[in-house]
Amino acid sequence: MKRALTPGTFDPITSGHLDVITRAAQMVDEVIVAVAASPKKRPLFALEERARLVREATAHLPNVRVEPFDDLLVDFAAKMDATVIIKGLRAITDFEYEFQMTAINYQLNQALETLFIMSPPQYMYLSSSIVRELASLGGDVSQFVPPCVARALAERFATA
Ligand code: COA
């Protein structure tokens, strides 16, 4: 069985992430969406809430499951028995950083491949921080995120 990880902070999951996960799920037998604790990023949503939103947004994809993690990505991949990491590549600005991460991960475990899926044009400039900012200022995020995330953001900023 070919199992892939699609890792990220998912604070929160966007339509761009969902596009990558959906396409990854067509390429391998099973996709594990690895939701990183990423404490340094001081996420808006707690780890369990981010994982819950990813679960709800991917519930229609039968070969996708969601796992939170707080260890090294290569160690988590080994623990999950995954042999490939699949990530989205958006604008050219992603490249340098992704190149560095991929090189380090490869150095740590040469049996773990990293594949990139190009974002379609409509998601090229989408990011979780843009979505958070838009929602915090009362903007309509519905075209950028799954409905469960739009609801969660509306609730979060209504009580902020
Ligand atoms: N659509 C929309 N947005 C996308 C996207 C897509 N397809 N792909 C990435 N993004 C955005 C995210 O929304 C996020 O936006 P933000 O910074 O504005 O919030 C940004 O790109 C970064 O994404 P993030 O999910 O934080 O991923 P990352 O590239 O920073 O990597 C991990 C996160 C979990 C993969 C990485 O930190 C990791 O491996 N952590 C584990 C610890 C570890 O092993 N560290 C050593 C690695 S060498």
Side-chain angles (χ1 to χ4, degrees):
M1 171 188 273
K2 195 92 196 144
R3 186 175 287 132
L5 288 190
T6 56
T9 304
F10 302 106
D11 185 37
I13 183 169
T14 68
S15 304
H17 291 127
L18 197 53
D19 174 72
V20 172
I21 296 164
T22 304
R23 288 155 71 188
Q26 289 161 1
M27 292 163 55
V28 295
D29 299 303
E30 187 178 45
V31 169
I32 297 178
V33 185
V35 183
S38 301
K40 278 199 198 140
K41 286 195 158 188
R42 310 191 65 210
L44 174 67
F45 292 103
L47 180 57
E48 276 310 324
E49 176 72 347
R50 283 180 276 137
R52 184 189 69 76
L53 291 170
V54 179
R55 252 177 227 122
E56 196 169 332
T58 58
H60 60 291
L61 299 169
N63 62 336
V64 172
R65 67 185 163 101
V66 181
E67 298 285 348
F69 78 107
D70 61 5
D71 36 6
L72 259 186
L73 185 62
V74 290
D75 291 344
F76 187 67
K79 209 188 292 175
M80 293 292 117
D81 214 8
T83 53
V84 57
I85 292 172
I86 301 181
K87 297 201 76 179
L89 201 56
R90 296 164 301 161
I92 203 130
T93 43
D94 279 351
F95 186 77
E96 185 92 25
Y97 173 68
E98 294 295 351
F99 197 73
Q100 181 185 28
M101 296 264 278
T102 301
I104 300 279
N105 286 338
Y106 185 72
Q107 198 70 23
L108 294 171
N109 181 359
Q110 271 124 52
L112 188 63
E113 281 297 346
T114 302
L115 299 181
F116 292 97
I117 293 181
M118 287 291 290
S119 288
Q122 69 268 35
Y123 302 137
M124 231 14 141
Y125 293 97
L126 185 55
S127 74
S128 299
S129 51
I130 288 283
V131 162
R132 292 194 303 271
E133 179 161 359
L134 195 54
S136 75
L137 296 171
D140 179 10
V141 293
S142 57
Q143 61 177 310
F144 304 120
V145 296
C148 61
V149 171
R151 282 194 301 273
L153 283 165
E155 271 167 33
R156 177 59 58 106
F157 290 112
T159 54

